[in-house]
């Protein structure tokens, strides 16, 4: 791509980047004049924002300066997180180059780095991008669907991880670290109200000693309620959808009986109860890509006389017309105990943890005001883990970390479809409908109150041993090497049960056409089927030389390999359909450090190759009412290569410009037997996607922001402003690269401005905060059309929000 073309693409909304940068520069110039006229600074927040302090990270399980860690890593500190309202993974994706997230709900959450790794809607599948919270790996992707607050920092590590961590990941890790208990009283409290949208948000945390120097606690709680931006026009049902209604809490105890021994107990919980499970329908094509007419569509079904001339809503971002959906419920609970024992030459750490996840979705499948179908998945997951680590120095130039890891996760999932009285008239073929319309009671009897439940029960256990060595060959040159061996055992079962809603067995309607309508939707029941078990081992490895050009500048290279184990899986009929392991090889070449005393810069080249990439995709299925079924499978090969940049410029004291970006050439290197998108005629069953851009992988991403703090004329009152703009180039979001899956390039801009002072000894800030302030319409997930549904956007992003925030730190 030429520089001119690149400029045109990045300037698709040019005002965004220019406004962000110019606003910061204008604030700096204006307040600088005030500062020169005032007395010596007594900025109440100055001590919390010292740009000269090194950035400390824990990516390698110990405190290190960012510029000393030879891996690609992005960091957000606790102050940035709280000020800029970065509380969930979607927020984080606007601030880390190459990170993308889809969060329509907990089960369909997907996180990827460099366009690779997004998992969604399959409980048998492991995440390629791991999430670790306070040293505990969250295995089910739904466990990440919550607000994370009271954080010390967040680190995004790119590339295979596992030679230092409990659970291996093939593409990277997001590592959350909560603020630890303190032996002196500290706390924060904030309340926020919506101006553009009715909202109430509050967050409180407090820490203090219970026994001086021996026992301390930290407690935090958050509440987030915000009206939805999609209105249900069905007066009989009503409601605003796409809302937020959630809470989260965390309680920690730190016990230090001696200077060398500590115990930290961590209890957390989070729940959502939200009208959020809807995917507005955008287009219902009348023809296929060869110009031939589609004979049966969502629109033609609803144009039948039975529905009385009803016109469904198609193409609206702001309105729906539903009556079958119920609030979506998500619950996350966990407990961990971290024991650290310093024996002088060796430090031992034990991390014992347990977590539970509950998800209950009841969706309006056809999104009309008729009683057609309510569907959704009920998931209950438990995980248990134990990690033991040892670290120390073998010689003055050779240090090590080593450990063992034990893990078990059990999931019980029920995919449910409950049909209403209008289902028969909707799902009938044209011939069946014409045969029964004279007796509408039979149309209704065909499916009314029938229930289909498909149960799966995957269980996975794993054991691993890992080690990593750092050899300081010279004062400046270090070689890091690591290895891991993981042994895993996986099992699963499935069954399909059919009944009436009250549990009674199904009986024939006495009419062949009505019974055929029922069979097409409910399919054939089957008793418990035991999947083919998996017993397999895998090796992960790392070679990572690095060289300090100076104390503050590091160059590094790395080669690493990792992967994910296979999965015990089934197709739509219950037939066994196991998925092969995924294998990743990654190469990095980077430089990071502090330049000219004011510029923090991390830049790296990367090449990532994945074989047998695990992905949820669609295949033709004659037993499915839509003609397709969703399955977990393997794509033979893909690769991503490009460059990433992440950094900050300290313009003056209290004024920092943050920037980042990536160029990611991510393509399928081998996918010649892909199922064609549904816009193709059925005579074309196979498409060659080799060489095409990976689903969900924007080629260009860019981030630009600033944070500005300056006292106003020696008054003891400071002006604080921030902004962050993120850009993603156009990319396809549909799993088979449908032409209807294209998301055009877009910007998202967050900003805030306020004043900071001290009241009764507490640093207090009153601010106006905004998210997506230019009200960009976009989606992060697209479902292709079928003969039962139009193209649906089930990952619509939050619309513009403006609020007033009052925050105090004491």
């Amino acid at each position: 791509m030429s520089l001119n073309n690149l400029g045109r693409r990045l300037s698709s909304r040019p005002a965004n980047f220019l406004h962000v940068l110019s606003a910061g520069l204008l604030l700096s110039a204006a307040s600088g004049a005030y500062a020169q006229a005032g007395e010596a600074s007594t900025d109440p927040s100055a001590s919390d924002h010292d740009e000269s302090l090194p950035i400390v990270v824990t990516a390698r399980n110990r405190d290190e300066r960012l510029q000393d860690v030879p891996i690609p890593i992005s960091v957000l500190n606790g102050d940035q997180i709280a000020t800029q309202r970065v509380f969930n993974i979607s927020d984080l994706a606007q601030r880390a180059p190459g990170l993308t997230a889809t969060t329509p709900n907990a089960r369909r959450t997907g996180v990827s780095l460099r366009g690779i790794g997004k998992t969604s809607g399959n409980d048998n599948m492991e995440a390629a991008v791991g999430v670790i919270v306070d040293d505990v790996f969250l295995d089910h992707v739904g466990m990440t669907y919550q607000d994370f607050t009271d954080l010390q920092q967040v680190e995004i590590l790119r590339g295979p991880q596992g030679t230092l961590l409990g659970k291996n990941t093939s593409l990277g890790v997001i590592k959350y670290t909560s603020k630890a208990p303190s032996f002196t009283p500290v706390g924060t409290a904030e309340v926020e109200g919506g101006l553009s949208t009715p909202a109430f948000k509050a967050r409180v945390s407090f820490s203090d000693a219970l026994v001086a120097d021996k026992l301390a606690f930290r407690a935090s709680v958050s509440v987030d309620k915000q009206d939805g931006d999609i209105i249900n026009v069905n007066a009989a049902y009503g409601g605003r959808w796409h809302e937020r209604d959630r809470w989260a809490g965390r309680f920690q105890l730190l016990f230090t009986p001696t200077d060398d021994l500590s115990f930290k107990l961590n209890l957390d919980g989070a729940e959502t109860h939200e009208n959020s499970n809807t995917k507005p329908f955008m287009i219902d094509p009348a023809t296929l890509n060869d110009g031939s007419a589609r004979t049966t569509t969502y629109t033609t079904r609803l144009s039948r006389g039975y529905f009385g001339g009803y016109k469904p809503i198609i193409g609206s971002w702001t309105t729906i017309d539903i009556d079958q959906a119920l609030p979506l419920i998500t619950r996350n609970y966990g407990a961990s105990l971290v024991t650290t024992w310093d024996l002088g030459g060796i430090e031992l750490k034990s991390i014992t943890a347990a977590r539970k996840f509950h998800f209950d979705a009841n969706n309006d499948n056809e999104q009309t005001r008729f009683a057609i179908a309510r569907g959704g998945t009920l998931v209950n997951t438990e995980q248990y883990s134990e990690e033991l680590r040892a670290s120390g120095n073998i010689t003055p130039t050779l240090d090590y970390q080593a450990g063992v890891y034990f893990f078990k996760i059990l999931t019980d999932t029920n995919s449910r479809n409950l049909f209403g009285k209008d289902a028969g008239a909707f799902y009938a073929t044209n011939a069946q409908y014409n045969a029964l319309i004279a007796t509408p009671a039979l149309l209704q009897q065909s499916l009314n109150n029938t229930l289909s439940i498909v149960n799966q029960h995957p269980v996975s256990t794993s054991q691993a041993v890992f080690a990593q060595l750092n050899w300081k060959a010279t004062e400046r040159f270090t070689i890091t090497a690591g290895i891991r061996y993981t042994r895993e055992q996986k099992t699963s079962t499935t069954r399909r049960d059919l009944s009436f809603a009250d549990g009674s067995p199904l009986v024939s309607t006495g009419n062949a056409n009505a019974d055929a309508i029922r069979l097409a939707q409910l399919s054939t029941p089957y008793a418990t089927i035991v999947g083919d078990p998996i017993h397999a081992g895998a090796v992960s490895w790392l070679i990572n030389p690095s060289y300090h050009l100076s104390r503050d500048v590091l160059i590094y290279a790395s080669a690493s390999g990792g992967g994910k184990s296979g999965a015990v899986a089934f197709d739509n009929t219950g037939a066994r359909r196991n998925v092969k392991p995924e294998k990743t090889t990654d190469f990095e070449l980077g430089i990071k450090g502090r330049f000219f005393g004011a510029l923090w810069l991390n830049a790296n080249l990367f090449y990532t190759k994945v074989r047998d990439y695990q992905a949820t995709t669609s295949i033709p299925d004659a037993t499915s009412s839509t003609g397709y079924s969703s399955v977990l499978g393997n794509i033979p090969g893909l690769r991503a290569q490009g460059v990433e940049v992440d950094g900050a410029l300290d313009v003056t004291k209290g004024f920092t410009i943050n920037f980042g970006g990536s160029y990611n050439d991510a393509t399928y290197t081998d996918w010649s037997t892909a199922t064609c998108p549904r816009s193709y005629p059925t005579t074309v069953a196979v498409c060659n996607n080799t060489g095409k851009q990976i689903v969900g992988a924007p080629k260009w991403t860019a981030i630009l922001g600033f944070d500005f703090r300056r006292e106003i004329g020696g008054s003891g009152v400071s002006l604080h402003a921030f902004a962050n703009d993120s850009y993603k180039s156009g990319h396809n979001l549909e799993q088979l690269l449908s032409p209807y899956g294209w998301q055009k390039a877009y910007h998202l801009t967050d900003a805030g401005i306020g004043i900071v002072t001290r009241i009764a000894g507490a640093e207090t800030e009153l601010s106006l905060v905004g998210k997506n302030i230019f009200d960009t319409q976009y989606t992060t997930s697209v479902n292709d059309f079928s003969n039962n549904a139009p193209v649906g956007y089930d990952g619509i992003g939050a619309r513009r929000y403006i609020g007033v925030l009052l925050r105090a730190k004491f």
Side-chain angles (χ1 to χ4, degrees), residues 467-482:
Q468 185 163 300
L469 295 172
N470 294 307
W471 176 41
K472 195 169 184 178
T474 71
E475 188 65 27
R476 295 189 174 193
F477 181 53
T478 301
I479 298 177
T480 299

Side-chain angles (χ1 to χ4, degrees), residues 74 76 91-100 156 158 646 701 703:
S74 298
L76 273 77
D91 298 332
L92 194 62
Q94 294 177 233
R95 289 159 175 84
L99 177 66
T100 59
I156 300 96
R158 301 175 183 86
D646 193 11
T701 64
I703 299 166

Side-chain angles (χ1 to χ4, degrees), residues 463-546:
Q463 310 83 37
V465 57
F466 54 89
Q468 185 163 300
L469 295 172
N470 294 307
W471 176 41
K472 195 169 184 178
T474 71
E475 188 65 27
R476 295 189 174 193
F477 181 53
T478 301
I479 298 177
T480 299
I483 193 165
R484 174 196 185 91
Y485 178 74
T486 303
R487 188 73 186 171
E488 295 189 278
Q489 305 82 39
K490 294 188 173 184
T491 63
S492 188
T493 62
T494 186
R495 73 174 189 274
R496 175 183 284 139
D497 297 322
L498 306 179
S499 68
F500 286 111
D502 62 4
S504 60
L506 296 178
V507 294
S508 171
T509 65
N511 180 280
N513 280 309
D515 284 349
I517 295 171
R518 178 183 293 178
L519 177 62
Q521 294 307 307
L522 301 183
S523 298
T524 303
Y526 48 83
T528 299
I529 298 172
V530 178
D532 293 328
I534 292 175
H535 299 273
V539 174
S540 301
W541 55 274
L542 169 71
I543 299 175
N544 186 193
S546 59

